[in-house]
Amino acid sequence: MSRRTDSVGHLWLHLFLLVMVVITVYPILWVLSVAFSGGQSLAFADLPPDPGVLDRLRAIVPWPEQLTWSNFSDVFSQQPFGRWLLNSTIVAGATTLCGVFLASTAGYAFSRFKFPGRRAGMMGFLVSQMFPGTLTLVPLYIIIVVWLELGSNFLGLILLYSTTAIPFCVWMLKGYFDTIPIELEESAKMDGASALTIFYRIILPLSKPAIAVTALFSFMTAWNEFVLALTIMDQEIMYTAPVGLRFFVGGYAEQQWGYFAAGSIVAALPVMILFLILQRYLISGLTAGAVKG
Amino acid sequence: MAQVVLQGVKKCYDDVEVIERLDLEIREGEFMVLVGPSGCGKSTALRMIAGLEEITAGEIVIGDRVVNELHPKDRDIAMVFQSYALYPHMTVRENMDFGLRIQKMDRAEIDRRVNDAARILGIEEYLDRRPRQLSGGQRQRVAVGRAIVRQPSVFLFDEPLSNLDAKLRVQMRAEITGLQRRLGTTTVYVTHDQVEAMTMGHRIAVLKDGDLQQVGTPLELYESPANLFVARFIGTPPMNFLPGRVAGDGAQIVSEDYGFDLPAPLRAAVRGRDGAEVLVGVRPENLRGDRREGVGATTTLRFQVTLLETLGHEVQAHGRLAGHELVAKFQPHNTPEIDSEVELHLELDHLHLFDAATELRLSEGE
Ligand SMILES: Nc1ncnc2c1ncn2[C@@H]1O[C@H](COP(=O)(O)OP(=O)(O)O)[C@@H](O)[C@H]1O
Ligand SMILES: [Mg+2]
């Protein structure tokens, strides 16, 4: 009896989930289709003057008339998309290195040392996260471009992205360091380890999950960011991938939806690959066995 | 090997004074146990010796050096933590040789020491495992092993057995004392368990609220506790106490419900103090249902039995005497009925007298 109700319940649940999956996947399918269609149009079928049901159905099914890689090859050969990807990689890579290094050392200090301004510092980081990024756009432009003269320069963007990513990363890592038993460090201290040795040989290896999250977050912050990059980078050769993508569509010239879609897919790959690589560190229980029985 | 001396050591956390003034001398090769209830400052004292806590005032000497300003690694000590504190990402071998590798010791020497320690502790087969793959007792052994490979001149233990089950605790107790005897290394061992203290220590230092109460061998503490606190703390079941007044020029203890003559040595302790309020302490084994031979003078008291605990070789009887809760001992086959009133033999030569006001022991020569 209860089995019946169970399976009926499951049926509705499955139906609901199925609908949600379609809603989620549909736009992605559309992008894929546009990318592989070989054309630049956003739609696949033109509606005849007096469309029937079948015509309308044909128009909303994301399936192109032909499948070709041409958009993918063209976006690299006809457009400087390769260069933009390289720019993005440089900026995001440097932001990740900078973010992880500074955030782990800062997070460790916040977690373990008592110093004047400790609370204020942590609060400051938190408060800085409360303002929407666009609010700071003008002052940041003035600082980076006018004062520091780092417009259209990797350094400017790396600086901006690092400062955006670090507060979250510091909180994240501090929280994780707090869970590592202090006895481990004291034990290492008794073993004769210096503060630096303790940090590199005890703390960091135990913090791999948190470091992985931090790295992924820093990378994605930099990789996906659009508004700041658009503001700072005003030479086409210095565009990052999201900025470059934007210039395929939305201008007064012909809309190049095919390039846009192909570029978007290529740009999404590094994040996915990075996630797959870092995924194996995202396991819990690294400190199991440290203390107690 | 080295002596450890604490001279007027004081510890404050901000404005909270945890240890007011601690003077303690731990001799070369000695197994000294610091014992006291939870929160009395044992760990703090140990951590000051280790160099993990700064000392607010006073001086700590290890060997012949004042180590106040020395970093833990320069004090030539090793510490075993209550939580073991093994490095979870390292194998047992790496855990044990971490300190030696940092010192850049010769690889052959490192291996020799680690293998020796592993053999002594019976953990040779686990050397390539990680801590999470070990049982509590095995982790405990690794923690001890990590301390002994360093061959320090002082071992510090902070409640190393409190996470183990009762049986393993007894076994590790024997192993640690055996190891200490064999290595002859000066050892400071912290515990809240008086049984551990009694069974392991050459000498015991009893702490209460950061104050040193008494230092002595287990027997000294048991037979002549310096004050009420030590008397209550050492021994299970704990000592019984009966209030009374001195009378007859120190010859008697009297109260409304009982009275008895004191033996000669105790008379000397309270001579000339007639009317003084005292607490008479008697251990359960000296308050008995049977009359033993060769224990000197006894007196009888009447006792209302409320609870019996049969241990096999003896029976512990809980009961009341004029409103005071007492524990007495009986022979296993000659036990009283619950709720009955029976006669107890108080062995007078084993009484302890304490001043009711100062809580200090009253003994001859004072
Ligand atoms: N870091 C600290 N800050 C403030 N008070 C502390 C600190 N560490 C310990 N104490 C206090 O010092 C007292 C003694 O602590 P501890 O030495 O750990 O006791 P024990 O080991 O005897 O149980 C306790 O009252 C504890 O609250
Ligand atoms: Mg403690």
Side-chain angles (χ1 to χ4, degrees):
Chain A
M1 187 65 208
S2 73
R3 261 187 94 114
R4 278 268 304 274
T5 37
D6 263 14
S7 56
V8 170
H10 278 177
L11 186 74
W12 286 111
L13 186 66
H14 281 279
L15 218 66
F16 172 75
L17 290 176
L18 221 62
V19 171
M20 291 323 268
V21 167
V22 169
I23 292 177
T24 314
V25 171
Y26 187 76
I28 299 174
L29 281 179
W30 198 276
V31 172
L32 278 170
S33 302
V34 172
F36 283 101
S37 71
Q40 298 300 334
S41 163
L42 194 53
F44 305 110
D46 293 324
L47 285 182
D50 185 17
V53 176
L54 269 183
D55 292 324
R56 289 179 189 275
L57 208 60
R58 172 72 195 92
I60 62 164
V61 172
W63 194 254
E65 276 158 4
Q66 53 162 351
L67 287 175
T68 155
W69 287 95
S70 69
N71 273 337
F72 288 90
S73 48
D74 287 355
V75 85
F76 284 101
S77 56
Q78 313 286 311
Q79 306 280 349
F81 191 67
R83 169 69 205 219
W84 298 338
L85 271 183
L86 181 70
N87 292 348
S88 269
T89 309
I90 291 171
V91 171
T95 302
T96 308
L97 287 181
C98 189
V100 169
F101 177 75
L102 290 179
S104 59
T105 42
Y108 184 66
F110 277 121
S111 169
R112 291 296 197 254
F113 303 131
K114 278 194 178 138
F115 50 89
R118 179 170 174 272
R119 267 183 64 85
M122 287 303 281
M123 284 316 284
F125 279 163
L126 199 62
V127 169
S128 76
Q129 297 293 286
M130 291 177 186
F131 298 102
T134 38
L135 200 67
T136 52
L137 201 57
V138 173
L140 284 180
Y141 181 84
I142 293 173
I143 293 172
I144 298 290
V145 177
V146 181
W147 293 354
L148 298 178
E149 296 177 0
L150 290 174
S152 274
N153 186 319
F154 289 139
L155 207 57
L157 215 48
I158 293 167
L159 215 59
L160 277 182
Y161 291 161
S162 299
T163 48
T164 329
I166 281 174
F168 170 83
C169 297
V170 169
W171 268 92
M172 165 87 206
L173 285 170
K174 181 214 176 262
Y176 196 86
F177 293 151
D178 284 347
T179 68
I180 298 179
I182 188 86
E183 284 97 334
L184 285 184
E185 290 181 45
E186 292 179 340
S187 179
K189 223 189 249 177
M190 304 290 297
D191 270 342
S194 65
L196 216 58
T197 309
I198 292 174
F199 183 64
Y200 282 110
R201 294 185 49 187
I202 309 287
I203 299 299
L204 282 191
L206 289 176
S207 307
K208 279 179 194 160
I211 303 268
V213 171
T214 315
L216 198 61
F217 177 82
S218 304
F219 189 85
M220 278 167 53
T221 302
W223 188 264
N224 294 334
E225 204 283 331
F226 172 69
V227 176
L228 285 173
L230 182 69
T231 317
I232 304 288
M233 301 303 208
D234 46 12
Q235 297 166 16
E236 191 178 314
I237 193 83
M238 295 303 286
Y239 286 172
T240 58
V243 177
L245 281 178
R246 191 224 170 261
F247 282 92
F248 289 142
V249 294
Y252 297 111
E254 194 195 344
Q255 308 289 297
Q256 296 164 312
W257 284 109
Y259 292 161
F260 181 84
S264 306
I265 289 164
V266 173
L269 288 178
V271 175
M272 285 160 75
I273 292 168
L274 196 67
F275 184 81
L276 288 177
I277 294 172
L278 293 181
Q279 196 186 27
R280 64 197 190 92
Y281 296 112
L282 301 181
I283 44 162
S284 59
L286 263 191
T287 52
V291 294
K292 281 224 27 180
Chain B
M1 304 325 92
Q3 58 165 356
V4 178
V5 182
L6 286 79
Q7 273 163 357
V9 170
K10 173 177 173 169
K11 178 70 193 180
C12 303
Y13 288 109
D14 302 322
D15 350 314
V16 188
E17 195 172 74
V18 176
I19 292 175
E20 195 189 321
R21 185 188 163 89
L22 184 59
D23 293 285
L24 184 64
E25 196 178 321
I26 299 146
R27 299 173 194 141
E28 215 170 290
E30 185 172 41
F31 196 118
M32 170 67 85
V33 178
L34 292 187
V35 70
S38 182
C40 70
K42 311 176 294 284
S43 297
T44 306
L46 197 73
R47 292 165 56 82
M48 287 192 293
I49 300 175
L52 294 173
E53 299 285 351
E54 278 182 31
I55 62 179
T56 312
E59 209 167 67
I60 294 182
V61 178
I62 298 178
D64 40 24
R65 289 180 306 171
V66 175
V67 296
N68 286 18
E69 304 297 326
L70 279 188
H71 193 269
K73 69 172 193 288
D74 301 319
R75 297 189 180 197
D76 198 16
I77 47 182
M79 180 158 168
V80 177
F81 292 80
Q82 175 173 8
S83 57
Y84 316 151
L86 301 179
Y87 312 124
H89 57 302
M90 298 186 194
T91 63
V92 168
R93 179 182 288 282
E94 288 165 342
N95 262 281
M96 285 170 68
D97 66 17
F98 181 70
L100 305 182
R101 277 185 285 140
I102 285 179
Q103 287 175 26
K104 304 231 172 356
M105 187 181 278
D106 176 46
R107 188 72 235 180
E109 172 68 8
I110 292 182
D111 286 341
R112 199 183 58 73
R113 287 196 188 186
V114 171
N115 293 337
D116 278 356
R119 189 166 33 74
I120 293 173
L121 293 162
I123 49 173
E124 283 164 299
E125 15 180 340
Y126 312 123
L127 280 176
D128 296 319
R129 291 211 198 156
R130 287 183 201 279
R132 67 168 167 278
Q133 299 165 309
L134 301 179
S135 72
Q138 290 161 348
R139 286 180 201 174
Q140 182 58 67
R141 287 201 176 83
V142 176
V144 174
R146 191 167 60 177
I148 63 179
V149 293
R150 300 253 317 278
Q151 303 186 350
S153 50
V154 180
F155 284 137
L156 306 177
F157 290 90
D158 192 354
E159 312 218 14
L161 306 185
S162 53
N163 289 332
L164 301 180
D165 61 60
K167 201 170 162 203
L168 206 52
R169 202 146 57 205
V170 175
Q171 188 187 339
M172 284 305 293
R173 214 155 74 189
E175 282 189 26
I176 291 176
T177 38
L179 196 65
Q180 197 270 344
R181 191 156 359 98
R182 187 154 149 192
L183 301 173
T185 309
T186 313
T187 299
V188 188
Y189 186 103
V190 160
T191 178
H192 66 269
D193 179 353
Q194 60 94 15
V195 177
E196 247 172 58
M198 292 292 282
T199 51
M200 299 180 80
H202 294 148
R203 286 196 304 156
I204 301 172
V206 183
L207 283 174
K208 177 199 169 200
D209 299 336
D211 282 333
L212 190 58
Q213 305 290 305
Q214 188 174 5
V215 186
T217 64
L219 267 191
E220 281 166 8
L221 262 55
Y222 192 78
E223 291 178 344
S224 20
N227 58 32
L228 270 185
F229 179 80
V230 177
R232 284 203 182 100
F233 193 76
I234 301 288
T236 38
M239 192 184 276
N240 298 302
F241 294 97
L242 288 168
R245 245 175 305 105
V246 181
D249 193 21
Q252 292 168 317
I253 299 294
V254 295
S255 90
E256 274 129 55
D257 306 292
Y258 44 82
F260 42 83
D261 291 339
L262 288 175
L266 285 177
R267 285 184 194 191
V270 289
R271 178 157 302 140
R273 302 189 52 168
D274 277 11
E277 302 282 340
V278 295
L279 282 172
V280 180
V282 57
R283 296 206 180 271
E285 63 262 34
N286 301 119
L287 185 63
R288 310 189 62 94
D290 55 320
R291 169 87 173 85
R292 295 197 291 187
E293 295 303 318
V295 290
T298 62
T299 188
T300 55
L301 297 169
R302 295 203 69 79
F303 172 81
Q304 173 102 30
V305 181
T306 55
L307 174 72
L308 290 174
E309 291 175 328
T310 307
L311 300 179
H313 67 293
E314 64 180 22
V315 174
Q316 292 177 2
H318 296 246
R320 240 174 265 119
L321 189 162
H324 305 292
E325 303 276 341
L326 299 179
V327 181
K329 293 203 171 172
F330 283 80
Q331 297 283 12
H333 291 292
N334 192 14
T335 51
E337 302 278 309
I338 289 185
D339 287 336
S340 66
E341 197 171 81
V342 296
E343 229 166 46
L344 288 180
H345 301 277
L346 179 64
E347 298 175 352
L348 295 172
D349 283 352
H350 293 94
L351 294 188
H352 305 262
L353 290 183
F354 299 93
D355 185 314
T358 64
E359 304 199 339
L360 293 178
R361 177 185 190 80
L362 297 168
S363 54
E364 321 93 271
E366 277 171 40

